[in-house]
Amino acid sequence: MTRALKYLALLGYLVFLAFPLLWLLSTALKTPQEMAALDPTWIPRRPTLANFADAFAEQDLVGAGLRSLVVAVATALITVALALPAAYALARFRGVAGKIAIGWVLVSQVFPVVLIIIPLFMVLRRMELVNTLAGLTVVHVTFVMPFALWMLRGYVRAVPRELEEAAAVDGAGRLRALAAVVAPLLAPGVVATLLFSFISSWNEFMFALVILKDPGVETLPLTLVRFVGPEGVARLGPLAAASLLATVPSLVFFATIQRRLRSGLMAGAVKG
């Protein structure tokens, strides 16, 4: 009975998560007449791909998607490259400075985006990074870094110090101990941080809206907004089709990196 209730709760949770995607798919396949009907249906009566064709014809979805992909991948890699050594230092070398650094990381999450976006824009303008993907990447790394640092610090603290001490007794230096002993155990944390950084950058809208002004450098979230008219009237069909396509890279990235996460957990178990 208990197991049945667990499966039922899990099924309900899956339905809750899948509902937006299913509704997007249903809307993307409907004709304008069906979307305007007073009695909406889940399954389109006359499925059509016209909304997908209109979305590609009206906006540069491929170009915007590629730009978002470049920014998201760069953000994920740079964030992990910077946060990993910092997280190791904060986790292993404890002291007053480390406590102050962790306190600042937590405090930085309290500031609202609206409070820092104007000073950030002024700094980027002086550095001539406004309206560039490089400037947006720098902003995304800065925005994602605190939480990524906090995540990786928890994974580093979970690795026993005794493993590094045993490696030192066997004659391994610190760098070799880190590469051969600690790194495999941190693989799940690195993968989880990569996933978090990628999705946060891929879905980010506010910073991109302020920094990017040229349509030729717009990311995908900004391009999706163009399906909403000046009076706030949205073209639901093309918007649903484009939004559905915008979720594909995140799902593919998650499906690909999930295997790495599972293999990393297994490697960590063996190493432990």
Side-chain angles (χ1 to χ4, degrees), residues 111-132:
F111 295 108
V113 174
V114 179
L115 185 65
I116 64 174
I117 200 165
I118 295 178
L120 190 60
F121 178 83
M122 296 176 65
V123 171
L124 291 176
R125 186 175 60 180
R126 287 191 175 187
M127 299 174 63
E128 297 183 355
L129 291 177
V130 174
N131 203 33
T132 64

Side-chain angles (χ1 to χ4, degrees), residues 135-169:
L136 184 62
T137 302
V138 170
V139 173
H140 284 182
V141 170
T142 305
F143 178 69
V144 174
M145 180 66 69
F147 191 78
L149 180 60
W150 181 261
M151 285 178 60
L152 288 173
R153 175 176 174 268
Y155 279 98
V156 174
R157 292 185 64 180
V159 177
R161 286 176 176 265
E162 290 76 10
L163 294 178
E164 298 179 57
E165 295 173 355
V169 171

Side-chain angles (χ1 to χ4, degrees), residues 183-200:
L185 297 175
L186 292 180
V190 171
V191 170
T193 306
L194 282 172
L195 181 62
F196 167 77
S197 303
F198 179 89
I199 294 179
S200 298

Side-chain angles (χ1 to χ4, degrees), residues 53-226:
D54 292 342
F56 280 106
E58 295 176 13
Q59 303 296 336
D60 183 19
L61 295 180
V62 176
L66 291 176
R67 290 188 289 270
S68 290
L69 185 63
V70 169
V71 173
V73 171
T75 298
L77 294 178
I78 295 173
T79 299
V80 171
L82 295 178
L84 187 56
Y88 181 83
L90 291 175
R92 287 292 187 257
F93 306 106
R94 301 176 184 177
V96 178
K99 293 181 180 179
I100 294 176
I102 290 299
W104 174 248
V105 168
L106 295 178
V107 170
S108 66
Q109 299 299 292
V110 179
F111 295 108
V113 174
V114 179
L115 185 65
I116 64 174
I117 200 165
I118 295 178
L120 190 60
F121 178 83
M122 296 176 65
V123 171
L124 291 176
R125 186 175 60 180
R126 287 191 175 187
M127 299 174 63
E128 297 183 355
L129 291 177
V130 174
N131 203 33
T132 64
L133 296 182
L136 184 62
T137 302
V138 170
V139 173
H140 284 182
V141 170
T142 305
F143 178 69
V144 174
M145 180 66 69
F147 191 78
L149 180 60
W150 181 261
M151 285 178 60
L152 288 173
R153 175 176 174 268
Y155 279 98
V156 174
R157 292 185 64 180
V159 177
R161 286 176 176 265
E162 290 76 10
L163 294 178
E164 298 179 57
E165 295 173 355
V169 171
D170 291 339
R174 178 174 292 275
L175 292 179
R176 184 173 181 181
L178 291 177
V181 178
V182 179
L185 297 175
L186 292 180
V190 171
V191 170
T193 306
L194 282 172
L195 181 62
F196 167 77
S197 303
F198 179 89
I199 294 179
S200 298
S201 177
W202 179 266
N203 295 329
E204 199 281 320
F205 174 78
M206 182 62 69
F207 288 124
L209 178 64
V210 174
I211 296 172
L212 304 179
K213 298 301 181 182
D214 186 359
V217 296
E218 284 185 351
T219 53
L220 197 54
L222 297 182
T223 303
L224 294 179
V225 177
R226 293 185 176 275

